[in-house]
Amino acid sequence: MGFLRQLKEVSFSVLPIAVIALVVSLVFGLFDVKETLSFAFSVVMVILGLTLFLMGVELGLIPVGNHMGSQVMKYKKLSLILITGLFMGTIITLAEPDVQVLAGQVSELRPSVDVGALTFAISLGVGVFLSFAFLRTLMNWNMKLTLALGVCILFVAVLFSDDFFISVAFDSGGATTGSMAVPFIMALGLGIANTRKGDESASFGYTGLASLGPVLFVLLYGIFFSSSDGNVGSASVDAGAFELFAEVARDVAISLMPLLAITILMQIFVMKLPRIKAIRVFSGYVYTYVGLVLFLFSVKYAFMPTAREIGSAVISIGLFPTLVLSTLLGASVVLAEPAIWVLTRQVEEVSQGRVRRIVLLVFMCIGVALAVDIATIRISKGINLLCFLVPAYVLVLLMMTKTPKLFVSIAFDSGGVATGPMSSTFLLPFTLGIASSLGNTEMASFGLIGLIAVMPIISIELLGMIYDSRLRKQEEKR
């Protein structure tokens, strides 16, 4: 039943966007019969790969995360908790499929960027800020002030960065909160939060804080370690299917190896699970590996190239039709993203039904749809990303002062989980196609995921303000 449940969830995630893509492609005559069948096959492989991957995460990764969180808290050593956050946040992000997809696309457009170095910078950022998130909870620091300080630090680094790395950095912050990192961060975070009884806001905010780290570390990477070579590379996949599959299989194995090694050591010295449970956990890694290989191969071979072609074709007939399609795709991503349903369910449970998940979903749909529309307008008009990001984050900080503490934590987590697999593998290539068609490939290509990460924060903070206002009116009537 686990496989069928995951297959259903993933199908609902991928099929709406795939159907829209297929219809648009047929309307514009982008596909012949062979290409249509190739795209359909890639969609099936994406669904199968993501299903196996999520099954593996559920079987192997989440139990290890839960066990690690509970074991760490038993020792009650601050240094051990911080080291665990740093190390595990880094390791888990190295294997995150969204990060690998993003790093590959960055390298295609600027070949001087080393994929391995960029991936490590992103992963280290998650590790450092995840430790910081744990420290905030244990030291009972104010969440609003902590988030405000983090955002301010990011924009200090922005002053010394070029436009390309600013866009990539904010996209990196969104890409890290994907299908692998979110469940693990939540599992660890909930274990830490259990030490703060009676504070419902302590259960949230870990994903939001952790997603700030990659932004800062990619900016620092761009300032200190990246070559200034701005040559634009080809965005197409030149390798044949077999060569591409072999390359993906090798890269995934390298990414998962450290995490597998940690799990083996934990089983020997800490967990000591019975044989049947241990086999179940390690079978999860097999599912994760096979699923990741199928997923990444399929999106690189056909899924992303199709999205680029669609973006290029639609913008050629005008901005308005492109905005209509952007809105539709943005809303589809929110309604279909499994991580969003997990978060909204958790919010409803923690708030004891006071915050309804359907209301959260509506406000998140509005936020993400606006983000994709803004990205489309920005690219088509050649507007600098900071013209949107700076006012957006200023608005976030101003609204934060009037938003209840619970909703601030939920808002930043919402911005993180909204940037799931479909954002990196379809929406980003879609905007790459728009930029390429308009001849503004490099500087305008990235920034979409960063916008998707910030706009739901604004919409959920607005919801929190509305919720607080209604609550006060109810109290006044009593």
Side-chain angles (χ1 to χ4, degrees), residues 30 101 104-106 108-109 234-237 299-315 424-437 446:
L30 301 179
V101 170
Q105 292 182 92
V106 172
E108 287 175 0
L109 287 177
S234 171
S236 61
V237 179
V299 298
K300 288 183 178 182
Y301 190 70
F303 212 68
M304 293 192 299
T306 297
R308 291 191 186 104
E309 289 187 34
I310 291 174
S312 179
V314 174
I315 195 64
S424 298
T425 61
F426 196 89
L427 292 183
L428 181 56
F430 172 75
T431 57
L432 284 170
I434 295 174
S436 179
S437 179
F446 296 95

Side-chain angles (χ1 to χ4, degrees), residues 304-381:
M304 293 192 299
T306 297
R308 291 191 186 104
E309 289 187 34
I310 291 174
S312 179
V314 174
I315 195 64
S316 66
I317 66 171
L319 179 59
F320 180 74
T322 309
L323 288 175
V324 173
L325 183 58
S326 298
T327 303
L328 188 59
L329 290 172
S332 299
V333 164
V334 174
L335 293 174
E337 176 57 49
I340 289 176
W341 289 92
V342 172
L343 175 65
T344 54
R345 186 186 303 116
Q346 183 184 357
V347 170
E348 195 170 53
E349 291 174 354
V350 171
S351 67
Q352 298 178 343
R354 289 181 289 116
V355 183
R356 297 181 61 187
R357 66 185 309 189
I358 186 64
V359 178
L360 279 171
L361 284 170
V362 170
F363 274 78
M364 289 183 71
C365 276
I366 294 172
V368 174
L370 282 174
V372 184
D373 287 343
I374 290 171
T376 301
I377 294 172
R378 182 185 87 82
I379 293 170
S380 63
K381 302 298 182 181

Side-chain angles (χ1 to χ4, degrees), residues 166-467:
I166 290 171
S167 301
V168 172
F170 280 93
D171 278 358
S172 300
T176 53
T177 50
S179 304
M180 179 171 279
V182 167
F184 191 82
I185 289 174
M186 284 185 173
L188 279 175
L190 286 174
I192 304 295
N194 287 334
T195 63
R196 294 270 306 279
K197 300 295 183 181
D199 185 1
E200 58 185 8
S201 66
S203 300
F204 304 100
Y206 300 99
T207 303
L209 268 175
S211 65
L212 296 179
V215 182
L216 177 61
F217 275 64
V218 171
L219 289 173
L220 294 176
Y221 169 77
I223 294 170
F224 294 108
F225 300 107
S226 177
S227 167
S228 60
D229 179 17
N231 293 333
V232 178
S234 171
S236 61
V237 179
D238 297 324
F242 180 78
E243 290 82 0
L244 180 61
F245 186 87
E247 179 184 343
V248 169
R250 181 200 64 204
D251 292 344
V252 171
I254 293 173
S255 298
L256 286 178
M257 208 172 294
L259 191 59
L260 177 60
I262 291 172
T263 304
I264 292 173
L265 291 175
M266 284 193 62
Q267 168 61 16
I268 295 173
F269 297 106
V270 181
M271 294 190 298
K272 299 179 180 178
L273 297 173
R275 183 177 179 181
I276 295 178
K277 289 186 177 180
I279 291 174
R280 180 181 174 86
V281 167
F282 286 104
S283 68
Y285 280 89
V286 176
Y287 283 122
T288 300
Y289 175 75
V290 174
L292 263 180
V293 171
L294 291 177
F295 173 76
L296 291 174
F297 167 74
S298 300
V299 298
K300 288 183 178 182
Y301 190 70
F303 212 68
M304 293 192 299
T306 297
R308 291 191 186 104
E309 289 187 34
I310 291 174
S312 179
V314 174
I315 195 64
S316 66
I317 66 171
L319 179 59
F320 180 74
T322 309
L323 288 175
V324 173
L325 183 58
S326 298
T327 303
L328 188 59
L329 290 172
S332 299
V333 164
V334 174
L335 293 174
E337 176 57 49
I340 289 176
W341 289 92
V342 172
L343 175 65
T344 54
R345 186 186 303 116
Q346 183 184 357
V347 170
E348 195 170 53
E349 291 174 354
V350 171
S351 67
Q352 298 178 343
R354 289 181 289 116
V355 183
R356 297 181 61 187
R357 66 185 309 189
I358 186 64
V359 178
L360 279 171
L361 284 170
V362 170
F363 274 78
M364 289 183 71
C365 276
I366 294 172
V368 174
L370 282 174
V372 184
D373 287 343
I374 290 171
T376 301
I377 294 172
R378 182 185 87 82
I379 293 170
S380 63
K381 302 298 182 181
I383 304 173
N384 191 292
L385 178 63
L386 290 178
C387 293
F388 295 102
L389 279 182
V390 172
Y393 275 100
V394 169
L395 184 59
V396 165
L397 295 178
L398 290 175
M399 293 176 67
M400 190 186 297
T401 61
K402 301 295 184 180
T403 305
K405 184 169 64 172
L406 172 63
F407 278 90
V408 171
S409 300
I410 294 172
F412 274 82
D413 280 355
S414 298
V417 300
T419 53
M422 291 300 101
S423 296
S424 298
T425 61
F426 196 89
L427 292 183
L428 181 56
F430 172 75
T431 57
L432 284 170
I434 295 174
S436 179
S437 179
L438 296 174
N440 192 9
T441 306
E442 188 182 83
M443 189 181 76
S445 295
F446 296 95
L448 167 69
I449 299 177
L451 287 168
I452 292 177
V454 69
M455 291 307 293
I457 300 177
I458 296 174
S459 63
I460 298 301
E461 284 187 337
L462 177 60
L463 173 61
M465 294 169 67
I466 295 172
Y467 174 86

